Amino acid sequence: MTELAYLAAGVLFIVGLKGLTSPTTARRGNRLAALGMLLAVIVVVVDLIVDDVAAAWAVVIAGLIVGGAIGFILATRVQMTDMPQLVAAFNGFGGGASALVASAAIVAAGSGVATETAVVTVLSLVIGAVTLSGSFVAFGKLQGIIAGRPISPPGGTATNGVIAALTVIAGIAAVATGEDVWYWVAGGLALVLGVSAVMPIGGADMPVVISLLNSLSGVAAAMAGFVIGNQALIVGGALVGAAGFILTVEMSVAMNRSLANILFSGFGGAPVSDDIGTKPVKRATADDAAIALAYADKVAVVPGYGLAVAQAQHAVKDLASALEERGIDVYYAIHPVAGRMPGHMNVLLAEADVPYDQLYDLDQANPQLTQTDVVLVLGANDVINPSAKDDPDSPIYGMPILDVDEATTTIVVKRSLSPGFAGIDNPLFYEDGTLMYFADAKQALEETLSAVERL
Amino acid sequence: MSDAFIAGIVVFVLAAFVGFEIIRRVPPTLHTPLMSGANAISGITIVGAIIAAALADGWLAVVIGFLAVVFATVNVIGGFLVTDRMLEMFKRVPGKPK
């Protein structure tokens, strides 16, 4: 009976995940998955009661109350602009939980477990520990507690290779000897590895990292399922591991870089070219921007991380509404890796009530951009850099970009002429059709809106 | 290897393929809620955490079990709630059919 109930939970996870792949069914999908989770929890509690084992219920109930309260407060209080770090933190908790489940098995079993059980215990412990510490470093970077730029460990990325090798050796020793101490060494090294592996990764690569850590938390849960012989954990964990992996690969493809390159290159440390800021640009004021926008037929908005930093999602919606009232066609062109997590811009704009069918992805946006009069770029840089198309020496050469240079006029709102994360100049800024509006995105949008209203 | 372990491997491989097939070609609009929802599902480890806490024997096991339940519950409750909160905001143009 228990196994059948877990099967039902697994089916609910699959149906729920399927629902999450379409906008119309996503909310129901999420709730079905939550229902599956509730079912699995009820089943395990009933199972423990029926078996009439000497259960430490106080510990379970205390844990559920404390964890539930923390989760509830975080999920309901945190602002939408802080969503990437919140997802990273939740992910870290999940990975940590799987590592702890493995730890409990180590403490309970002592020596003498079957080889395959020892192997999955090590895997659950190590993968869970990497997920835990890696996710919290990602959280720190996104929250601004840790510098977002790449920070290489002493000895560079080779150090990470050494730590990874030592972790594997300690894991093998744990399986071979069955001694608890080797498990703890492997788990401790895995915690260090999570930190040293994520530290060298720059802020703009965070969508890939968060997605990969999400996949790892699934794998850790599946391994924990093998440790305790529970099918629900194996199904749920494998689903998430596979889903997270696909997303990770999609993000890498969107940047035209291999996963290995993102994880191990320490990209972003490239020297900044000296002549940035010395070439002439056309500066624009709020009035210039307002005139260009108000007399256009078709306007595209290209949001980037600058939009999130400035919390300008409501301001952009207000300006777009004002333009729409004047009969102007407005759409949003969103690069797959804009922002700090997959789909980051979509969530922010959704918060500001921008309908999702006005959000165009790369393939939909590029044909439209050739027929667009004005493009308003808000704190995006590398995803619109034409060097990716025509300069084989550029570090981002080959990355698919939004072809904003195809539009008649481009207004770039940026706080300064500083280069983006890749540390390279953007020739777009010096083109004739480009106006540079140096300001915080929110301030620029509000000033432009009042200028439009005065017209 | 025990039969149960081999059955587990079968389930793992099949579930992974289901995951691959479901997630292919998801619109970017849903990448964040999908990731967040999937992340909540990985909190299924809560089942293992409850077992570990309930069967805890000795102070070390109690501490580990307690922390496991706390961590997993944060992941589950927080993950599903925040995903729901995000999805609540996703709207189409009123009255405009897709």
Side-chain angles (χ1 to χ4, degrees), chain A residues 6 13-14 17-18 20-24 26-27 30-31 33-34 37 40-41 44 48 53-56 59-60 62-64 67-68 70-72 75-76 78 80 83 86-87 90-91 93-94 96-98 100-101 104 107 116 120 132 210-211 214 217-218 221-222 226 228 230-235 238-240 242-243 245-247 250-251 341-344 346-347 350-351 353 355-357 361, chain B residues 1-2 4-57 60-94 96-98:
Chain A
Y6 282 138
F13 290 156
I14 293 171
L17 203 56
K18 177 78 189 161
L20 276 167
T21 61
S22 161
T24 46
R27 203 166 182 205
N30 184 53
R31 289 176 173 185
M37 190 66 70
V41 169
V44 69
L48 284 164
V53 286
V59 182
V60 176
L64 289 173
I70 296 172
F72 179 83
T76 49
V78 171
M80 278 299 146
M83 209 44 72
L86 185 64
V87 172
F90 285 153
N91 196 48
F93 280 113
S98 293
L100 287 164
V101 170
V107 172
E116 65 262 28
V120 289
L132 173 68
I210 292 187
S211 184
N214 185 34
S217 78
F226 280 104
I228 62 168
N230 187 299
Q231 304 276 11
L233 268 73
I234 298 175
V235 171
L239 275 176
V240 178
F245 185 72
I246 294 264
L247 266 186
E250 277 192 20
M251 293 298 118
M341 72 178 162
H344 188 186
N346 305 71
V347 174
E351 194 209 357
D353 279 339
Y356 63 74
D357 40 14
D361 65 21
Chain B
M1 265 190 257
S2 70
F5 197 85
I6 291 170
I9 293 174
V10 171
V11 169
F12 179 82
V13 172
L14 292 179
F17 272 100
V18 172
F20 279 124
E21 288 304 320
I22 292 178
I23 299 307
R24 264 194 209 151
R25 308 290 312 156
V26 177
T29 294
L30 286 171
H31 278 170
T32 293
L34 178 73
M35 197 173 62
S36 173
N39 176 31
I41 293 176
S42 74
I44 182 65
T45 200
I46 192 172
V47 168
I50 290 173
I51 295 172
L55 304 184
D57 185 20
L60 181 60
V62 167
V63 171
I64 291 174
F66 173 72
L67 285 178
V69 175
V70 172
F71 277 32
T73 312
V74 170
N75 188 199
V76 169
I77 301 286
F80 282 120
L81 276 181
V82 88
T83 309
D84 194 62
R85 203 179 133 199
M86 273 188 248
L87 291 170
E88 193 182 356
M89 305 179 314
F90 281 74
K91 294 184 190 88
R92 257 190 247 164
V93 179
K96 184 177 160 189
K98 187 155 175 92

Side-chain angles (χ1 to χ4, degrees), chain A residues 141-341:
Chain A
K141 283 186 169 236
L142 292 164
Q143 186 72 28
I145 302 168
I146 305 170
R149 69 190 153 79
I151 302 168
S152 287
T157 45
T159 308
N160 290 338
V162 173
I163 299 171
L166 289 173
T167 310
V168 172
I169 292 168
I172 292 170
V175 174
T177 65
E179 296 286 342
D180 283 6
V181 63
W182 286 115
Y183 284 103
W184 304 135
V185 170
L189 284 167
L191 285 174
V192 176
L193 181 61
V195 174
S196 67
V198 178
M199 285 300 271
I201 299 174
D205 282 342
M206 277 302 148
V208 185
V209 174
I210 292 187
S211 184
L212 180 66
L213 288 167
N214 185 34
S215 176
L216 286 180
S217 78
V219 176
M223 291 304 129
F226 280 104
V227 174
I228 62 168
N230 187 299
Q231 304 276 11
L233 268 73
I234 298 175
V235 171
L239 275 176
V240 178
F245 185 72
I246 294 264
L247 266 186
T248 310
V249 171
E250 277 192 20
M251 293 298 118
S252 315
V253 170
M255 300 170 100
N256 193 36
R257 288 164 62 198
S258 70
L259 189 55
N261 177 270
I262 291 164
L263 295 179
F264 304 120
S265 72
F267 194 53
V272 177
S273 112
D274 284 339
D275 59 352
I276 289 179
T278 58
K279 281 183 277 181
V281 296
K282 275 196 216 166
R283 284 172 176 263
T285 63
D287 291 320
D288 300 333
I291 289 167
L293 290 166
Y295 295 105
D297 288 326
K298 192 166 190 165
V299 169
V301 177
V302 176
Y305 187 52
L307 180 90
V309 172
Q311 305 214 4
Q313 66 271 33
H314 294 284
V316 72
K317 162 74 178 169
D318 292 343
L319 178 61
S321 301
L323 295 175
E324 281 167 342
E325 276 171 30
R326 299 177 71 100
I328 300 165
D329 191 7
V330 181
Y331 67 97
Y332 299 80
I334 300 177
H335 193 277
V337 294
R340 290 293 183 266
M341 72 178 162

